[in-house]
Amino acid sequence: MTQKTAPVVVLVAPQLGENIGMVARAMLNFGLTELRLVSPRNGWPNPAAGPASAGADQVLNEATVYDDISTSVADCNRVFTTAMTVRRMLKDVITPAEAVRQALALPASTARTAWVFGPERTGLYSGEVAMGDSVISIPTNSDFGSLNLAMAMTVMGYEWMRQTTDQPARYLAGDETGPALRYDLDGLLAHLDTELTVREYFFPEHRAATMRQNVRSIFQRLTLTAAEVRTMRGVVKSLASPEQRISKG
Amino acid sequence: MTQKTAPVVVLVAPQLGENIGMVARAMLNFGLTELRLVSPRNGWPNPAAGPASAGADQVLNEATVYDDISTSVADCNRVFTTAMTVRRMLKDVITPAEAVRQALALPASTARTAWVFGPERTGLYSGEVAMGDSVISIPTNSDFGSLNLAMAMTVMGYEWMRQTTDQPARYLAGDETGPALRYDLDGLLAHLDTELTVREYFFPEHRAATMRQNVRSIFQRLTLTAAEVRTMRGVVKSLASPEQRISKG
């Protein structure tokens, strides 16, 4: 994916320094660094923000302050406001995932998007919500939907990271050998089959074929690594050998 | 989508009641209600949890306590542990999105999944991480990746909600008329064209066709509603009428 400029985060009239700090932490957790504050209630800088940021000093030190929303987003191409519900206005309402998709669809060279969050107690007023090109509505439990400011930031930051990361959906940690060859897996299954056959596991005769298929199915579903096939061969060999008397001395 | 049982959330040796409360809040925000605590440091109930939960009392009141992880997840079919990094073990490592996909792929009638989170300071120990069928790794900034417990819970809860909600990616709030018919839009464009033509806007002649296309393109990209087309016809009519003297009395 082409490198995209991460969105600017705008907090409108934030009340508590602790919340500004926690927002900064959540931003940096997901690679966002540009924080703008519109009329913070207790001025700026706020001594309570630092400790709550858990080390996201870079974000706080570079935060800038504005008198109104318009000025804070004047250099952006696309502005997303946030709201729990959108009432009495004709407005495009989108999910966090859709907001990030739209931001990533802008041309990389000019894209500059802003996410605007309201104050803790009230959220954005209706007229402020309307300033967004679109309004982001985070899907929540309709009976208990009020997210704390840092949690809303966490959702948006995670969504940004989810759509821009190159982390694979799934990988095998600590795998030094790679997936086993079918040759190795068939070797394990033949070994197991031999040991089970001499012990008359596959009984009665008319069920033997199905029983073999069921055993094979278990091991095939695992996608074993080459090292794991060797481990299982050792396990089968050990189970098939006589019990040892364990020395206590 | 078939109704699926929401995952069980297991907190292993949580240290602060405030964090247990914030986790409960994040859970309920995203419709998760079943909280299990393994050896909470300061016992249970913890008086600091309630205020931090911002009203998620239901989750705290129904929380259950266990002595070890095995017991806490014994009734689950699939157990996901969480870790920032997975070292010195061969293990399936997956994203939050993949974890939810896997949980939703289980048969609805029997599916019961658990998400296991470690203590605030250390996270899960290596042996505890290994108890998961898979390990969830939340994608974060590699230079500042440590998520607070409630934020990690927020990410997982949001991911669950994202994949189970029926909220559309995009909708138009407050739209009482629906999208305009092409007939209405063409009427607006014809009206605009007439007023511009008599004012010789389409000049020079050899550029007129392109200029018309450019104007049309702007209005077509908007996907205007029927009400908005009427609004724009009023705007065009007003602009085309003589300036009024505004009475100051």
Side-chain angles (χ1 to χ4, degrees):
Chain A
M1 174 165 305
T2 320
Q3 184 62 39
K4 296 282 186 173
T5 308
V8 166
V9 172
V10 179
L11 302 185
V12 177
Q15 300 172 296
L16 297 175
E18 287 81 354
N19 287 330
I20 300 172
M22 287 196 291
V23 164
R25 175 181 184 173
M27 287 175 61
L28 196 55
N29 279 149
F30 297 108
L32 304 169
T33 55
E34 194 165 347
L35 177 61
R36 300 179 179 184
L37 305 172
V38 175
S39 308
R41 188 182 67 178
N42 298 329
W44 188 256
N46 183 321
S53 81
D57 304 297
Q58 170 198 352
V59 174
L60 296 174
N61 292 341
E62 294 172 4
T64 48
V65 179
Y66 299 82
D67 289 332
D68 55 55
I69 299 179
S70 299
T71 319
S72 76
V73 298
D75 63 340
C76 296
N77 309 101
R78 192 150 177 84
V79 176
F80 300 94
T81 48
T82 54
M84 271 186 66
T85 51
V86 179
R87 291 206 186 93
R88 288 181 300 280
M89 70 180 88
L90 192 62
K91 205 74 198 174
D92 211 24
V93 180
I94 60 179
T95 58
E98 175 64 16
V100 171
R101 269 196 294 273
Q102 289 187 6
L104 293 173
L106 291 170
S109 56
T110 59
R112 197 167 184 80
T113 60
W115 294 336
V116 183
F117 297 87
E120 293 90 328
R121 191 178 303 272
T122 58
L124 295 173
Y125 294 121
S126 192
E128 296 168 335
V129 171
M131 293 180 68
D133 299 315
S134 295
V135 182
I136 298 170
S137 172
I138 297 176
T140 52
N141 177 353
S142 54
D143 295 328
F144 191 78
S146 176
L147 291 176
N148 130 340
L149 188 55
M151 285 174 178
M153 182 62 236
T154 298
V155 167
M156 292 306 302
Y158 163 69
E159 189 60 63
W160 172 258
M161 180 64 84
R162 184 177 74 82
Q163 293 191 44
T164 58
T165 184
D166 52 8
Q167 183 175 321
R170 185 179 171 195
Y171 75 95
L172 200 55
D175 178 17
E176 290 168 7
T177 62
L181 298 176
R182 173 55 70 99
Y183 174 86
D184 298 322
L185 182 67
D186 282 351
L188 166 64
L189 288 166
H191 180 181
L192 184 60
D193 198 285
T194 303
E195 297 293 356
L196 291 173
T197 300
V198 297
R199 287 167 181 78
E200 298 186 330
Y201 169 79
F202 295 113
F203 183 86
E205 187 66 39
H206 72 274
R207 291 205 63 237
T210 302
M211 292 170 81
R212 282 197 164 84
Q213 281 168 20
N214 291 348
V215 170
R216 169 175 277 275
S217 174
I218 292 170
F219 286 93
Q220 286 193 339
R221 210 162 66 231
L222 283 165
T223 319
L224 291 167
T225 68
E228 286 173 332
V229 166
R230 288 198 294 271
T231 298
M232 283 309 299
R233 292 206 61 152
V235 168
V236 171
K237 186 177 174 188
S238 176
L239 284 173
S241 65
E243 207 169 324
Q244 304 290 317
R245 189 169 300 272
I246 294 166
S247 148
K248 287 201 171 178
Chain B
M1 174 166 303
T2 319
Q3 184 63 39
K4 296 283 187 172
T5 308
V8 166
V9 172
V10 179
L11 302 185
V12 178
Q15 300 172 296
L16 297 176
E18 287 83 351
N19 287 330
I20 299 172
M22 288 197 291
V23 164
R25 175 181 184 172
M27 286 175 61
L28 195 56
N29 280 148
F30 297 108
L32 305 170
T33 54
E34 194 165 346
L35 176 61
R36 301 180 178 183
L37 306 172
V38 175
S39 307
R41 188 183 66 179
N42 300 328
W44 190 254
N46 183 320
S53 80
D57 303 297
Q58 172 197 352
V59 175
L60 295 175
N61 293 342
E62 295 173 3
T64 47
V65 180
Y66 299 82
D67 288 332
D68 54 56
I69 299 179
S70 299
T71 319
S72 76
V73 298
D75 63 341
C76 296
N77 308 102
R78 192 149 175 83
V79 176
F80 299 94
T81 48
T82 55
M84 272 186 66
T85 52
V86 180
R87 290 205 186 92
R88 288 183 298 280
M89 70 180 88
L90 190 64
K91 205 73 197 175
D92 210 25
V93 180
I94 60 179
T95 58
E98 175 65 16
V100 172
R101 268 196 296 274
Q102 290 187 5
L104 293 173
L106 291 170
S109 58
T110 61
R112 196 166 184 81
T113 60
W115 294 336
V116 183
F117 296 87
E120 293 90 327
R121 191 178 303 272
T122 58
L124 294 173
Y125 294 121
S126 192
E128 296 168 336
V129 171
M131 292 180 67
D133 298 317
S134 295
V135 182
I136 299 170
S137 172
I138 298 175
T140 52
N141 177 354
S142 53
D143 294 329
F144 191 78
S146 176
L147 292 177
N148 134 334
L149 187 56
M151 286 173 177
M153 182 62 235
T154 299
V155 166
M156 292 307 303
Y158 163 70
E159 187 61 61
W160 171 259
M161 182 63 84
R162 184 177 74 82
Q163 292 191 43
T164 57
T165 184
D166 52 9
Q167 182 173 322
R170 187 179 169 194
Y171 74 96
L172 200 56
D175 178 17
E176 290 168 8
T177 61
L181 298 176
R182 174 56 68 101
Y183 175 85
D184 298 321
L185 182 67
D186 283 351
L188 166 63
L189 288 166
H191 180 182
L192 183 61
D193 198 287
T194 303
E195 296 294 357
L196 291 173
T197 300
V198 296
R199 286 167 180 79
E200 299 185 329
Y201 169 80
F202 296 112
F203 183 85
E205 188 67 40
H206 71 275
R207 291 206 60 239
T210 303
M211 292 171 80
R212 284 195 163 85
Q213 282 168 20
N214 291 348
V215 170
R216 170 176 276 275
S217 173
I218 292 170
F219 286 93
Q220 287 195 338
R221 209 163 65 230
L222 283 165
T223 319
L224 290 167
T225 68
E228 286 173 331
V229 166
R230 288 197 294 272
T231 298
M232 283 309 300
R233 291 203 66 148
V235 168
V236 171
K237 186 176 175 189
S238 176
L239 284 172
S241 67
E243 204 168 325
Q244 303 291 318
R245 189 169 301 270
I246 295 166
S247 149
K248 287 206 170 173

